[in-house]
Amino acid sequence: MRVAKGLLGLLLAMPLLASAEEIGQVSTVFKFVGPNDRIVVEAFDDPKVEGVTCYLSRAKTGGVKGGLGLAEDRAEASIACRQVGPINFKGELKDGEEVFKERTSLVFKTMQVVRFLDKRRNTLVYLVYSDRLIEGSPQNAVTAIPILPWTHAQ
């Protein structure tokens, strides 16, 4: 019963996570069969903070396995978040709250972005990292956005 409730809660929370829009990609390794290895740039808006967009760049494995969704992508990723409008909070923010998650292997590996609020400096901090069921990776990237008034040029 607990497992069923946990799965239901997870399914209900999924829409709260941001989904990424692909901005562009570049090929890094030519593959004779299947898609090439590439670096993909994606954008997503923070689902709880209006006015913030994050840009993620990460490696995607090609070849036959990559084309079928069976390859394991590398753990490296880069992130840059920017204020793109007035910042408004759509609810209470929790430190370490997951704002984006995507699987990077068939089952056991994910890349995720979590948010922290540095109240002392009035700044939002976003961290991207990869984890695996058994062992994660210490490779990570961080970006910060000071919460400032939005002035729109007329």
Side-chain angles (χ1 to χ4, degrees):
M1 186 68 170
R2 277 187 171 178
V3 173
K5 284 182 180 180
L7 288 173
L8 179 62
L10 181 64
L11 290 173
L12 292 174
M14 290 303 272
L16 298 177
L17 294 179
S19 61
E21 167 191 350
E22 187 173 309
I23 301 299
Q25 60 178 288
V26 295
S27 178
T28 57
V29 175
F30 173 76
K31 299 286 186 176
F32 285 106
V33 180
N36 292 341
D37 289 356
R38 59 200 185 281
I39 298 172
V40 177
V41 178
E42 300 169 312
F44 67 89
D45 298 325
D46 187 322
K48 277 189 153 178
V49 182
E50 224 173 87
V52 171
T53 298
C54 293
Y55 297 90
L56 225 92
S57 69
R58 60 193 188 91
K60 286 198 123 182
T61 304
V64 174
K65 283 185 174 181
L68 295 173
L70 302 174
E72 183 172 309
D73 294 333
R74 298 182 61 125
E76 297 92 358
S78 177
I79 188 169
C81 297
R82 298 295 182 259
Q83 182 176 358
V84 295
I87 291 181
N88 294 307
F89 300 112
K90 298 179 184 176
E92 187 179 335
L93 303 184
K94 298 176 188 159
D95 273 346
E97 185 172 13
E98 191 174 272
V99 295
F100 178 82
K101 185 173 189 172
E102 188 166 295
R103 76 174 176 82
T104 52
S105 75
L106 183 60
V107 179
F108 300 113
K109 190 174 176 183
T110 61
M111 182 199 53
Q112 49 209 337
V113 177
V114 294
R115 175 195 344 94
F116 298 92
L117 176 60
D118 180 350
K119 291 180 183 175
R120 181 171 169 217
R121 293 166 188 83
N122 201 35
T123 300
L124 292 165
V125 180
Y126 293 84
L127 170 71
V128 61
Y129 68 99
S130 180
D131 67 357
R132 192 182 284 176
L133 186 62
I134 304 299
E135 180 182 338
S137 169
Q139 295 178 349
N140 64 81
V142 69
T143 186
I145 303 171
I147 302 170
L148 301 171
W150 183 256
T151 55
H152 186 269
Q154 300 286 352

Short mmCIF file of all heavy atoms in Angstrom, two decimals, residues 121-146:
data_model
loop_
_atom_site.label_atom_id
_atom_site.label_comp_id
_atom_site.label_asym_id
_atom_site.label_seq_id
_atom_site.Cartn_x
_atom_site.Cartn_y
_atom_site.Cartn_z
N ARG A 121 21.96 36.55 0.55
CA ARG A 121 22.40 37.33 -0.62
C ARG A 121 21.27 37.58 -1.61
O ARG A 121 21.49 38.12 -2.68
CB ARG A 121 23.55 36.59 -1.31
CG ARG A 121 24.78 36.55 -0.43
CD ARG A 121 25.80 35.54 -0.94
NE ARG A 121 26.87 35.38 0.01
CZ ARG A 121 26.83 34.58 1.07
NH1 ARG A 121 25.76 33.85 1.33
NH2 ARG A 121 27.86 34.49 1.89
N ASN A 122 20.05 37.14 -1.26
CA ASN A 122 18.88 37.33 -2.11
C ASN A 122 19.13 36.78 -3.52
O ASN A 122 18.94 37.47 -4.52
CB ASN A 122 18.46 38.80 -2.14
CG ASN A 122 17.02 38.97 -2.56
OD1 ASN A 122 16.17 38.15 -2.25
ND2 ASN A 122 16.74 40.03 -3.30
N THR A 123 19.57 35.53 -3.57
CA THR A 123 20.00 34.92 -4.83
C THR A 123 19.44 33.50 -4.97
O THR A 123 19.40 32.75 -4.00
CB THR A 123 21.55 34.88 -4.88
OG1 THR A 123 22.04 36.21 -4.79
CG2 THR A 123 22.07 34.25 -6.15
N LEU A 124 19.03 33.16 -6.17
CA LEU A 124 18.64 31.79 -6.51
C LEU A 124 19.87 31.06 -7.05
O LEU A 124 20.59 31.61 -7.90
CB LEU A 124 17.54 31.79 -7.57
CG LEU A 124 16.20 32.34 -7.12
CD1 LEU A 124 15.31 32.63 -8.33
CD2 LEU A 124 15.52 31.37 -6.17
N VAL A 125 20.11 29.86 -6.59
CA VAL A 125 21.27 29.07 -7.01
C VAL A 125 20.75 27.75 -7.59
O VAL A 125 19.93 27.07 -6.97
CB VAL A 125 22.22 28.78 -5.82
CG1 VAL A 125 23.42 27.96 -6.27
CG2 VAL A 125 22.66 30.09 -5.16
N TYR A 126 21.23 27.41 -8.80
CA TYR A 126 20.82 26.18 -9.47
C TYR A 126 22.04 25.29 -9.65
O TYR A 126 23.09 25.75 -10.08
CB TYR A 126 20.21 26.50 -10.84
CG TYR A 126 18.90 27.24 -10.73
CD1 TYR A 126 18.87 28.63 -10.58
CD2 TYR A 126 17.69 26.56 -10.78
CE1 TYR A 126 17.67 29.31 -10.47
CE2 TYR A 126 16.49 27.24 -10.67
CZ TYR A 126 16.49 28.61 -10.51
OH TYR A 126 15.30 29.27 -10.40
N LEU A 127 21.87 24.01 -9.33
CA LEU A 127 22.94 23.01 -9.41
C LEU A 127 22.49 21.88 -10.33
O LEU A 127 21.39 21.35 -10.16
CB LEU A 127 23.23 22.45 -8.02
CG LEU A 127 24.14 21.23 -7.93
CD1 LEU A 127 25.58 21.63 -8.25
CD2 LEU A 127 24.06 20.61 -6.55
N VAL A 128 23.33 21.52 -11.31
CA VAL A 128 23.06 20.36 -12.15
C VAL A 128 24.06 19.27 -11.81
O VAL A 128 25.25 19.54 -11.61
CB VAL A 128 23.10 20.70 -13.67
CG1 VAL A 128 24.46 21.20 -14.09
CG2 VAL A 128 22.69 19.50 -14.50
N TYR A 129 23.56 18.03 -11.70
CA TYR A 129 24.43 16.89 -11.42
C TYR A 129 23.77 15.63 -11.95
O TYR A 129 22.59 15.62 -12.31
CB TYR A 129 24.73 16.77 -9.92
CG TYR A 129 23.53 16.40 -9.08
CD1 TYR A 129 23.33 15.09 -8.68
CD2 TYR A 129 22.60 17.35 -8.69
CE1 TYR A 129 22.23 14.74 -7.91
CE2 TYR A 129 21.51 17.02 -7.92
CZ TYR A 129 21.33 15.71 -7.52
OH TYR A 129 20.24 15.37 -6.78
N SER A 130 24.56 14.57 -11.99
CA SER A 130 24.06 13.29 -12.48
C SER A 130 24.16 12.28 -11.35
O SER A 130 25.11 12.31 -10.57
CB SER A 130 24.92 12.84 -13.66
OG SER A 130 24.48 11.61 -14.16
N ASP A 131 23.17 11.40 -11.25
CA ASP A 131 23.28 10.35 -10.25
C ASP A 131 22.89 9.02 -10.88
O ASP A 131 22.28 8.96 -11.94
CB ASP A 131 22.45 10.65 -9.00
CG ASP A 131 20.96 10.63 -9.25
OD1 ASP A 131 20.53 10.45 -10.39
OD2 ASP A 131 20.21 10.82 -8.28
N ARG A 132 23.30 8.00 -10.21
CA ARG A 132 23.06 6.63 -10.66
C ARG A 132 22.56 5.86 -9.46
O ARG A 132 22.87 6.20 -8.33
CB ARG A 132 24.38 6.04 -11.17
CG ARG A 132 24.20 4.74 -11.91
CD ARG A 132 25.53 4.19 -12.34
NE ARG A 132 26.03 4.94 -13.48
CZ ARG A 132 27.20 4.74 -14.01
NH1 ARG A 132 28.02 3.85 -13.51
NH2 ARG A 132 27.58 5.43 -15.05
N LEU A 133 21.77 4.84 -9.70
CA LEU A 133 21.19 4.05 -8.62
C LEU A 133 22.25 3.59 -7.62
O LEU A 133 22.07 3.71 -6.42
CB LEU A 133 20.45 2.84 -9.20
CG LEU A 133 19.66 2.00 -8.20
CD1 LEU A 133 18.56 2.84 -7.55
CD2 LEU A 133 19.06 0.80 -8.88
N ILE A 134 23.37 3.11 -8.11
CA ILE A 134 24.43 2.61 -7.23
C ILE A 134 25.43 3.69 -6.88
O ILE A 134 25.74 3.92 -5.74
CB ILE A 134 25.17 1.42 -7.88
CG1 ILE A 134 24.20 0.31 -8.25
CG2 ILE A 134 26.28 0.91 -6.98
CD1 ILE A 134 23.44 -0.30 -7.09
N GLU A 135 25.94 4.42 -7.88
CA GLU A 135 27.00 5.40 -7.63
C GLU A 135 26.81 6.59 -8.56
O GLU A 135 26.73 6.44 -9.77
CB GLU A 135 28.35 4.74 -7.90
CG GLU A 135 29.52 5.66 -7.69
CD GLU A 135 30.84 4.97 -8.01
OE1 GLU A 135 30.90 3.73 -8.00
OE2 GLU A 135 31.80 5.69 -8.30
N GLY A 136 26.74 7.78 -7.99
CA GLY A 136 26.59 8.99 -8.78
C GLY A 136 27.94 9.53 -9.21
O GLY A 136 28.98 8.90 -9.04
N SER A 137 27.92 10.72 -9.78
CA SER A 137 29.15 11.36 -10.23
C SER A 137 29.33 12.68 -9.47
O SER A 137 28.36 13.41 -9.27
CB SER A 137 29.05 11.65 -11.73
OG SER A 137 30.12 12.48 -12.13
N PRO A 138 30.56 13.00 -9.08
CA PRO A 138 30.79 14.28 -8.41
C PRO A 138 30.82 15.45 -9.40
O PRO A 138 30.88 16.60 -8.98
CB PRO A 138 32.14 14.09 -7.73
CG PRO A 138 32.85 13.09 -8.60
CD PRO A 138 31.77 12.18 -9.13
N GLN A 139 30.79 15.18 -10.70
CA GLN A 139 30.82 16.27 -11.68
C GLN A 139 29.51 17.05 -11.60
O GLN A 139 28.43 16.47 -11.56
CB GLN A 139 31.05 15.72 -13.07
CG GLN A 139 32.41 15.07 -13.19
CD GLN A 139 32.63 14.46 -14.55
OE1 GLN A 139 31.74 14.34 -15.36
NE2 GLN A 139 33.86 14.07 -14.80
N ASN A 140 29.65 18.37 -11.57
CA ASN A 140 28.48 19.22 -11.41
C ASN A 140 28.77 20.59 -11.97
O ASN A 140 29.90 20.92 -12.30
CB ASN A 140 28.09 19.31 -9.93
CG ASN A 140 29.16 19.98 -9.11
OD1 ASN A 140 29.25 21.20 -9.08
ND2 ASN A 140 30.01 19.19 -8.46
N ALA A 141 27.74 21.39 -12.07
CA ALA A 141 27.89 22.79 -12.48
C ALA A 141 26.86 23.60 -11.71
O ALA A 141 25.80 23.09 -11.34
CB ALA A 141 27.68 22.94 -13.99
N VAL A 142 27.17 24.85 -11.46
CA VAL A 142 26.30 25.71 -10.68
C VAL A 142 26.16 27.07 -11.34
O VAL A 142 27.07 27.52 -12.06
CB VAL A 142 26.83 25.83 -9.22
CG1 VAL A 142 28.12 26.63 -9.17
CG2 VAL A 142 25.79 26.43 -8.30
N THR A 143 25.02 27.70 -11.15
CA THR A 143 24.78 29.05 -11.66
C THR A 143 23.94 29.78 -10.62
O THR A 143 23.24 29.13 -9.83
CB THR A 143 24.09 29.02 -13.04
OG1 THR A 143 24.00 30.34 -13.56
CG2 THR A 143 22.70 28.42 -12.95
N ALA A 144 24.00 31.10 -10.61
CA ALA A 144 23.25 31.87 -9.61
C ALA A 144 22.62 33.10 -10.27
O ALA A 144 23.17 33.66 -11.20
CB ALA A 144 24.19 32.31 -8.49
N ILE A 145 21.44 33.46 -9.76
CA ILE A 145 20.71 34.63 -10.25
C ILE A 145 20.36 35.52 -9.06
O ILE A 145 19.58 35.11 -8.19
CB ILE A 145 19.40 34.23 -10.94
CG1 ILE A 145 19.64 33.26 -12.07
CG2 ILE A 145 18.64 35.45 -11.43
CD1 ILE A 145 18.37 32.67 -12.62
N PRO A 146 20.89 36.74 -9.01
CA PRO A 146 20.44 37.66 -7.95
C PRO A 146 18.99 38.07 -8.23
O PRO A 146 18.62 38.28 -9.38
CB PRO A 146 21.40 38.85 -8.07
CG PRO A 146 21.96 38.77 -9.44
CD PRO A 146 21.89 37.34 -9.87
#
